[in-house]
PDB file of all heavy atoms in Angstrom:
ATOM      1  N   LEU A   1     117.339 -63.629  49.990  1.00  0.00           N
ATOM      2  CA  LEU A   1     116.601 -62.365  49.787  1.00  0.00           C
ATOM      3  C   LEU A   1     116.495 -61.533  51.070  1.00  0.00           C
ATOM      4  O   LEU A   1     116.130 -60.381  50.988  1.00  0.00           O
ATOM      5  CB  LEU A   1     115.163 -62.704  49.335  1.00  0.00           C
ATOM      6  CG  LEU A   1     114.979 -63.031  47.859  1.00  0.00           C
ATOM      7  CD1 LEU A   1     113.520 -63.409  47.623  1.00  0.00           C
ATOM      8  CD2 LEU A   1     115.361 -61.889  46.974  1.00  0.00           C
ATOM      9  N   ALA A   2     116.815 -62.120  52.184  1.00  0.00           N
ATOM     10  CA  ALA A   2     116.644 -61.397  53.459  1.00  0.00           C
ATOM     11  C   ALA A   2     117.525 -60.142  53.524  1.00  0.00           C
ATOM     12  O   ALA A   2     118.607 -60.095  52.977  1.00  0.00           O
ATOM     13  CB  ALA A   2     117.025 -62.321  54.632  1.00  0.00           C
ATOM     14  N   GLU A   3     116.993 -59.096  54.166  1.00  0.00           N
ATOM     15  CA  GLU A   3     117.645 -57.805  54.250  1.00  0.00           C
ATOM     16  C   GLU A   3     117.551 -57.259  55.670  1.00  0.00           C
ATOM     17  O   GLU A   3     116.492 -56.805  56.085  1.00  0.00           O
ATOM     18  CB  GLU A   3     117.019 -56.799  53.270  1.00  0.00           C
ATOM     19  CG  GLU A   3     117.218 -57.147  51.817  1.00  0.00           C
ATOM     20  CD  GLU A   3     118.665 -56.867  51.359  1.00  0.00           C
ATOM     21  OE1 GLU A   3     119.468 -56.358  52.173  1.00  0.00           O
ATOM     22  OE2 GLU A   3     118.981 -57.180  50.187  1.00  0.00           O
ATOM     23  N   PRO A   4     118.659 -57.267  56.427  1.00  0.00           N
ATOM     24  CA  PRO A   4     118.587 -56.719  57.806  1.00  0.00           C
ATOM     25  C   PRO A   4     118.300 -55.241  57.816  1.00  0.00           C
ATOM     26  O   PRO A   4     117.880 -54.728  58.877  1.00  0.00           O
ATOM     27  CB  PRO A   4     120.004 -57.019  58.342  1.00  0.00           C
ATOM     28  CG  PRO A   4     120.872 -57.209  57.130  1.00  0.00           C
ATOM     29  CD  PRO A   4     119.975 -57.821  56.105  1.00  0.00           C
ATOM     30  N   ALA A   5     118.501 -54.507  56.719  1.00  0.00           N
ATOM     31  CA  ALA A   5     118.244 -53.066  56.712  1.00  0.00           C
ATOM     32  C   ALA A   5     116.803 -52.720  56.566  1.00  0.00           C
ATOM     33  O   ALA A   5     116.406 -51.537  56.683  1.00  0.00           O
ATOM     34  CB  ALA A   5     119.059 -52.399  55.591  1.00  0.00           C
ATOM     35  N   ALA A   6     115.908 -53.687  56.346  1.00  0.00           N
ATOM     36  CA  ALA A   6     114.486 -53.406  56.173  1.00  0.00           C
ATOM     37  C   ALA A   6     113.942 -52.700  57.417  1.00  0.00           C
ATOM     38  O   ALA A   6     114.300 -53.089  58.534  1.00  0.00           O
ATOM     39  CB  ALA A   6     113.705 -54.736  55.937  1.00  0.00           C
ATOM     40  N   GLN A   7     113.129 -51.718  57.219  1.00  0.00           N
ATOM     41  CA  GLN A   7     112.645 -50.880  58.318  1.00  0.00           C
ATOM     42  C   GLN A   7     111.344 -51.339  58.963  1.00  0.00           C
ATOM     43  O   GLN A   7     110.990 -50.875  60.031  1.00  0.00           O
ATOM     44  CB  GLN A   7     112.445 -49.430  57.799  1.00  0.00           C
ATOM     45  CG  GLN A   7     113.734 -48.801  57.276  1.00  0.00           C
ATOM     46  CD  GLN A   7     114.755 -48.601  58.361  1.00  0.00           C
ATOM     47  OE1 GLN A   7     114.568 -47.805  59.264  1.00  0.00           O
ATOM     48  NE2 GLN A   7     115.865 -49.305  58.271  1.00  0.00           N
ATOM     49  N   SER A   8     110.608 -52.214  58.289  1.00  0.00           N
ATOM     50  CA  SER A   8     109.354 -52.672  58.894  1.00  0.00           C
ATOM     51  C   SER A   8     108.910 -53.983  58.207  1.00  0.00           C
ATOM     52  O   SER A   8     109.344 -54.300  57.094  1.00  0.00           O
ATOM     53  CB  SER A   8     108.264 -51.618  58.686  1.00  0.00           C
ATOM     54  OG  SER A   8     107.836 -51.546  57.334  1.00  0.00           O
ATOM     55  N   PRO A   9     108.021 -54.735  58.890  1.00  0.00           N
ATOM     56  CA  PRO A   9     107.496 -55.944  58.280  1.00  0.00           C
ATOM     57  C   PRO A   9     106.799 -55.658  56.925  1.00  0.00           C
ATOM     58  O   PRO A   9     106.922 -56.412  55.968  1.00  0.00           O
ATOM     59  CB  PRO A   9     106.517 -56.506  59.302  1.00  0.00           C
ATOM     60  CG  PRO A   9     107.002 -55.952  60.608  1.00  0.00           C
ATOM     61  CD  PRO A   9     107.539 -54.591  60.281  1.00  0.00           C
ATOM     62  N   ALA A  10     106.087 -54.538  56.849  1.00  0.00           N
ATOM     63  CA  ALA A  10     105.339 -54.207  55.618  1.00  0.00           C
ATOM     64  C   ALA A  10     106.320 -53.945  54.463  1.00  0.00           C
ATOM     65  O   ALA A  10     106.086 -54.357  53.323  1.00  0.00           O
ATOM     66  CB  ALA A  10     104.448 -52.977  55.841  1.00  0.00           C
ATOM     67  N   GLU A  11     107.450 -53.284  54.744  1.00  0.00           N
ATOM     68  CA  GLU A  11     108.425 -53.055  53.689  1.00  0.00           C
ATOM     69  C   GLU A  11     109.028 -54.384  53.235  1.00  0.00           C
ATOM     70  O   GLU A  11     109.311 -54.594  52.056  1.00  0.00           O
ATOM     71  CB  GLU A  11     109.559 -52.130  54.258  1.00  0.00           C
ATOM     72  CG  GLU A  11     109.120 -50.688  54.373  1.00  0.00           C
ATOM     73  CD  GLU A  11     110.221 -49.811  54.900  1.00  0.00           C
ATOM     74  OE1 GLU A  11     111.410 -50.183  54.723  1.00  0.00           O
ATOM     75  OE2 GLU A  11     109.900 -48.775  55.522  1.00  0.00           O
ATOM     76  N   SER A  12     109.268 -55.300  54.171  1.00  0.00           N
ATOM     77  CA  SER A  12     109.765 -56.600  53.789  1.00  0.00           C
ATOM     78  C   SER A  12     108.798 -57.337  52.895  1.00  0.00           C
ATOM     79  O   SER A  12     109.195 -57.936  51.872  1.00  0.00           O
ATOM     80  CB  SER A  12     110.017 -57.453  55.044  1.00  0.00           C
ATOM     81  OG  SER A  12     110.996 -56.875  55.898  1.00  0.00           O
ATOM     82  N   GLN A  13     107.523 -57.259  53.220  1.00  0.00           N
ATOM     83  CA  GLN A  13     106.508 -57.942  52.436  1.00  0.00           C
ATOM     84  C   GLN A  13     106.395 -57.284  51.072  1.00  0.00           C
ATOM     85  O   GLN A  13     106.223 -57.989  50.031  1.00  0.00           O
ATOM     86  CB  GLN A  13     105.157 -57.891  53.169  1.00  0.00           C
ATOM     87  CG  GLN A  13     105.171 -58.746  54.449  1.00  0.00           C
ATOM     88  CD  GLN A  13     104.029 -58.399  55.375  1.00  0.00           C
ATOM     89  OE1 GLN A  13     103.134 -57.645  55.073  1.00  0.00           O
ATOM     90  NE2 GLN A  13     104.063 -59.015  56.554  1.00  0.00           N
ATOM     91  N   LEU A  14     106.441 -55.935  51.010  1.00  0.00           N
ATOM     92  CA  LEU A  14     106.366 -55.258  49.726  1.00  0.00           C
ATOM     93  C   LEU A  14     107.542 -55.697  48.841  1.00  0.00           C
ATOM     94  O   LEU A  14     107.347 -55.978  47.651  1.00  0.00           O
ATOM     95  CB  LEU A  14     106.417 -53.765  49.938  1.00  0.00           C
ATOM     96  CG  LEU A  14     106.562 -52.865  48.699  1.00  0.00           C
ATOM     97  CD1 LEU A  14     105.428 -53.080  47.735  1.00  0.00           C
ATOM     98  CD2 LEU A  14     106.681 -51.408  49.115  1.00  0.00           C
ATOM     99  N   ARG A  15     108.730 -55.766  49.379  1.00  0.00           N
ATOM    100  CA  ARG A  15     109.909 -56.140  48.634  1.00  0.00           C
ATOM    101  C   ARG A  15     109.760 -57.503  48.022  1.00  0.00           C
ATOM    102  O   ARG A  15     109.987 -57.702  46.803  1.00  0.00           O
ATOM    103  CB  ARG A  15     111.153 -56.075  49.525  1.00  0.00           C
ATOM    104  CG  ARG A  15     112.450 -56.327  48.792  1.00  0.00           C
ATOM    105  CD  ARG A  15     113.648 -56.308  49.732  1.00  0.00           C
ATOM    106  NE  ARG A  15     113.835 -57.533  50.483  1.00  0.00           N
ATOM    107  CZ  ARG A  15     113.598 -57.667  51.754  1.00  0.00           C
ATOM    108  NH1 ARG A  15     113.122 -56.679  52.508  1.00  0.00           N
ATOM    109  NH2 ARG A  15     113.799 -58.835  52.362  1.00  0.00           N
ATOM    110  N   ILE A  16     109.398 -58.495  48.809  1.00  0.00           N
ATOM    111  CA  ILE A  16     109.343 -59.842  48.269  1.00  0.00           C
ATOM    112  C   ILE A  16     108.183 -60.046  47.330  1.00  0.00           C
ATOM    113  O   ILE A  16     108.248 -60.766  46.325  1.00  0.00           O
ATOM    114  CB  ILE A  16     109.314 -60.897  49.415  1.00  0.00           C
ATOM    115  CG1 ILE A  16     109.669 -62.295  48.840  1.00  0.00           C
ATOM    116  CG2 ILE A  16     107.988 -60.938  50.077  1.00  0.00           C
ATOM    117  CD1 ILE A  16     109.880 -63.336  49.872  1.00  0.00           C
ATOM    118  N   ARG A  17     107.092 -59.316  47.528  1.00  0.00           N
ATOM    119  CA  ARG A  17     105.986 -59.427  46.632  1.00  0.00           C
ATOM    120  C   ARG A  17     106.310 -58.835  45.235  1.00  0.00           C
ATOM    121  O   ARG A  17     105.894 -59.351  44.199  1.00  0.00           O
ATOM    122  CB  ARG A  17     104.733 -58.721  47.192  1.00  0.00           C
ATOM    123  CG  ARG A  17     104.109 -59.480  48.363  1.00  0.00           C
ATOM    124  CD  ARG A  17     102.853 -58.814  48.866  1.00  0.00           C
ATOM    125  NE  ARG A  17     101.753 -58.955  47.923  1.00  0.00           N
ATOM    126  CZ  ARG A  17     100.548 -58.434  48.119  1.00  0.00           C
ATOM    127  NH1 ARG A  17     100.303 -57.714  49.221  1.00  0.00           N
ATOM    128  NH2 ARG A  17      99.610 -58.599  47.229  1.00  0.00           N
ATOM    129  N   LEU A  18     107.135 -57.785  45.222  1.00  0.00           N
ATOM    130  CA  LEU A  18     107.585 -57.211  43.965  1.00  0.00           C
ATOM    131  C   LEU A  18     108.482 -58.232  43.216  1.00  0.00           C
ATOM    132  O   LEU A  18     108.412 -58.381  42.002  1.00  0.00           O
ATOM    133  CB  LEU A  18     108.339 -55.915  44.190  1.00  0.00           C
ATOM    134  CG  LEU A  18     107.471 -54.725  44.649  1.00  0.00           C
ATOM    135  CD1 LEU A  18     108.381 -53.533  45.015  1.00  0.00           C
ATOM    136  CD2 LEU A  18     106.467 -54.334  43.553  1.00  0.00           C
ATOM    137  N   VAL A  19     109.337 -58.882  43.979  1.00  0.00           N
ATOM    138  CA  VAL A  19     110.233 -59.911  43.354  1.00  0.00           C
ATOM    139  C   VAL A  19     109.406 -61.088  42.855  1.00  0.00           C
ATOM    140  O   VAL A  19     109.633 -61.592  41.731  1.00  0.00           O
ATOM    141  CB  VAL A  19     111.305 -60.360  44.405  1.00  0.00           C
ATOM    142  CG1 VAL A  19     112.077 -61.579  43.839  1.00  0.00           C
ATOM    143  CG2 VAL A  19     112.237 -59.237  44.740  1.00  0.00           C
ATOM    144  N   LEU A  20     108.426 -61.550  43.622  1.00  0.00           N
ATOM    145  CA  LEU A  20     107.575 -62.630  43.205  1.00  0.00           C
ATOM    146  C   LEU A  20     106.755 -62.270  41.984  1.00  0.00           C
ATOM    147  O   LEU A  20     106.342 -63.158  41.218  1.00  0.00           O
ATOM    148  CB  LEU A  20     106.663 -63.064  44.333  1.00  0.00           C
ATOM    149  CG  LEU A  20     107.319 -63.838  45.508  1.00  0.00           C
ATOM    150  CD1 LEU A  20     106.383 -63.987  46.670  1.00  0.00           C
ATOM    151  CD2 LEU A  20     107.785 -65.182  45.015  1.00  0.00           C
ATOM    152  N   ALA A  21     106.507 -60.974  41.820  1.00  0.00           N
ATOM    153  CA  ALA A  21     105.745 -60.488  40.627  1.00  0.00           C
ATOM    154  C   ALA A  21     106.593 -60.393  39.373  1.00  0.00           C
ATOM    155  O   ALA A  21     106.111 -60.009  38.324  1.00  0.00           O
ATOM    156  CB  ALA A  21     105.120 -59.136  40.958  1.00  0.00           C
ATOM    157  N   GLY A  22     107.897 -60.716  39.504  1.00  0.00           N
ATOM    158  CA  GLY A  22     108.761 -60.744  38.340  1.00  0.00           C
ATOM    159  C   GLY A  22     109.612 -59.518  38.143  1.00  0.00           C
ATOM    160  O   GLY A  22     110.285 -59.375  37.163  1.00  0.00           O
ATOM    161  N   LEU A  23     109.607 -58.610  39.120  1.00  0.00           N
ATOM    162  CA  LEU A  23     110.429 -57.387  39.003  1.00  0.00           C
ATOM    163  C   LEU A  23     111.812 -57.656  39.571  1.00  0.00           C
ATOM    164  O   LEU A  23     111.989 -58.565  40.412  1.00  0.00           O
ATOM    165  CB  LEU A  23     109.764 -56.254  39.790  1.00  0.00           C
ATOM    166  CG  LEU A  23     108.389 -55.803  39.208  1.00  0.00           C
ATOM    167  CD1 LEU A  23     107.822 -54.665  40.066  1.00  0.00           C
ATOM    168  CD2 LEU A  23     108.483 -55.410  37.775  1.00  0.00           C
ATOM    169  N   PRO A  24     112.809 -56.914  39.086  1.00  0.00           N
ATOM    170  CA  PRO A  24     114.165 -57.138  39.621  1.00  0.00           C
ATOM    171  C   PRO A  24     114.272 -56.825  41.101  1.00  0.00           C
ATOM    172  O   PRO A  24     113.527 -55.983  41.617  1.00  0.00           O
ATOM    173  CB  PRO A  24     115.027 -56.192  38.754  1.00  0.00           C
ATOM    174  CG  PRO A  24     114.102 -55.127  38.287  1.00  0.00           C
ATOM    175  CD  PRO A  24     112.775 -55.815  38.105  1.00  0.00           C
ATOM    176  N   ARG A  25     115.179 -57.520  41.762  1.00  0.00           N
ATOM    177  CA  ARG A  25     115.357 -57.284  43.167  1.00  0.00           C
ATOM    178  C   ARG A  25     115.796 -55.890  43.504  1.00  0.00           C
ATOM    179  O   ARG A  25     116.820 -55.431  42.971  1.00  0.00           O
ATOM    180  CB  ARG A  25     116.359 -58.312  43.723  1.00  0.00           C
ATOM    181  CG  ARG A  25     116.671 -58.206  45.186  1.00  0.00           C
ATOM    182  CD  ARG A  25     117.612 -59.290  45.602  1.00  0.00           C
ATOM    183  NE  ARG A  25     117.965 -59.209  47.012  1.00  0.00           N
ATOM    184  CZ  ARG A  25     118.699 -60.095  47.635  1.00  0.00           C
ATOM    185  NH1 ARG A  25     119.127 -61.178  47.013  1.00  0.00           N
ATOM    186  NH2 ARG A  25     119.006 -59.955  48.896  1.00  0.00           N
ATOM    187  N   PRO A  26     115.112 -55.185  44.379  1.00  0.00           N
ATOM    188  CA  PRO A  26     115.530 -53.809  44.720  1.00  0.00           C
ATOM    189  C   PRO A  26     116.620 -53.819  45.793  1.00  0.00           C
ATOM    190  O   PRO A  26     116.780 -54.811  46.517  1.00  0.00           O
ATOM    191  CB  PRO A  26     114.221 -53.164  45.252  1.00  0.00           C
ATOM    192  CG  PRO A  26     113.497 -54.312  45.843  1.00  0.00           C
ATOM    193  CD  PRO A  26     113.833 -55.525  44.994  1.00  0.00           C
ATOM    194  N   VAL A  27     117.299 -52.709  45.899  1.00  0.00           N
ATOM    195  CA  VAL A  27     118.279 -52.527  46.984  1.00  0.00           C
ATOM    196  C   VAL A  27     117.591 -51.846  48.136  1.00  0.00           C
ATOM    197  O   VAL A  27     116.826 -50.879  47.962  1.00  0.00           O
ATOM    198  CB  VAL A  27     119.467 -51.649  46.504  1.00  0.00           C
ATOM    199  CG1 VAL A  27     120.477 -51.430  47.626  1.00  0.00           C
ATOM    200  CG2 VAL A  27     120.131 -52.307  45.303  1.00  0.00           C
ATOM    201  N   VAL A  28     117.799 -52.339  49.329  1.00  0.00           N
ATOM    202  CA  VAL A  28     117.167 -51.763  50.513  1.00  0.00           C
ATOM    203  C   VAL A  28     118.040 -50.672  51.113  1.00  0.00           C
ATOM    204  O   VAL A  28     119.264 -50.874  51.367  1.00  0.00           O
ATOM    205  CB  VAL A  28     116.907 -52.866  51.582  1.00  0.00           C
ATOM    206  CG1 VAL A  28     116.324 -52.294  52.824  1.00  0.00           C
ATOM    207  CG2 VAL A  28     115.988 -53.947  51.008  1.00  0.00           C
ATOM    208  N   GLN A  29     117.435 -49.498  51.398  1.00  0.00           N
ATOM    209  CA  GLN A  29     118.126 -48.379  52.020  1.00  0.00           C
ATOM    210  C   GLN A  29     119.393 -47.988  51.241  1.00  0.00           C
ATOM    211  O   GLN A  29     120.453 -47.771  51.838  1.00  0.00           O
ATOM    212  CB  GLN A  29     118.443 -48.706  53.465  1.00  0.00           C
ATOM    213  CG  GLN A  29     117.239 -49.004  54.336  1.00  0.00           C
ATOM    214  CD  GLN A  29     116.271 -47.804  54.475  1.00  0.00           C
ATOM    215  OE1 GLN A  29     116.723 -46.695  54.779  1.00  0.00           O
ATOM    216  NE2 GLN A  29     115.016 -48.019  54.281  1.00  0.00           N
ATOM    217  N   HIS A  30     119.285 -47.896  49.953  1.00  0.00           N
ATOM    218  CA  HIS A  30     120.438 -47.528  49.102  1.00  0.00           C
ATOM    219  C   HIS A  30     120.835 -46.055  49.372  1.00  0.00           C
ATOM    220  O   HIS A  30     119.943 -45.165  49.357  1.00  0.00           O
ATOM    221  CB  HIS A  30     120.064 -47.696  47.631  1.00  0.00           C
ATOM    222  CG  HIS A  30     121.125 -47.221  46.670  1.00  0.00           C
ATOM    223  ND1 HIS A  30     122.338 -47.910  46.531  1.00  0.00           N
ATOM    224  CD2 HIS A  30     121.215 -46.140  45.861  1.00  0.00           C
ATOM    225  CE1 HIS A  30     123.072 -47.260  45.611  1.00  0.00           C
ATOM    226  NE2 HIS A  30     122.413 -46.194  45.192  1.00  0.00           N
ATOM    227  N   PRO A  31     122.093 -45.745  49.593  1.00  0.00           N
ATOM    228  CA  PRO A  31     122.498 -44.354  49.869  1.00  0.00           C
ATOM    229  C   PRO A  31     122.472 -43.501  48.577  1.00  0.00           C
ATOM    230  O   PRO A  31     123.072 -43.887  47.565  1.00  0.00           O
ATOM    231  CB  PRO A  31     123.938 -44.494  50.404  1.00  0.00           C
ATOM    232  CG  PRO A  31     124.429 -45.805  49.834  1.00  0.00           C
ATOM    233  CD  PRO A  31     123.227 -46.661  49.730  1.00  0.00           C
TER     234      PRO A  31
END
């Protein structure tokens, strides 16, 4: 699940919390 493109610790936490809540994995910094 790790993403080197994450811009901040809070964004990282938001991403994994959404996944843990059952939502599909988002793409980080998608163009």
Side-chain angles (χ1 to χ4, degrees):
L1 280 177
E3 293 287 355
Q7 298 294 294
S8 71
E11 287 179 25
S12 298
Q13 293 164 6
L14 171 60
R15 185 182 80 252
I16 196 170
R17 289 183 71 182
L18 290 173
V19 172
L20 287 170
L23 297 179
R25 179 177 177 174
V27 179
V28 177
Q29 300 296 312
H30 176 70

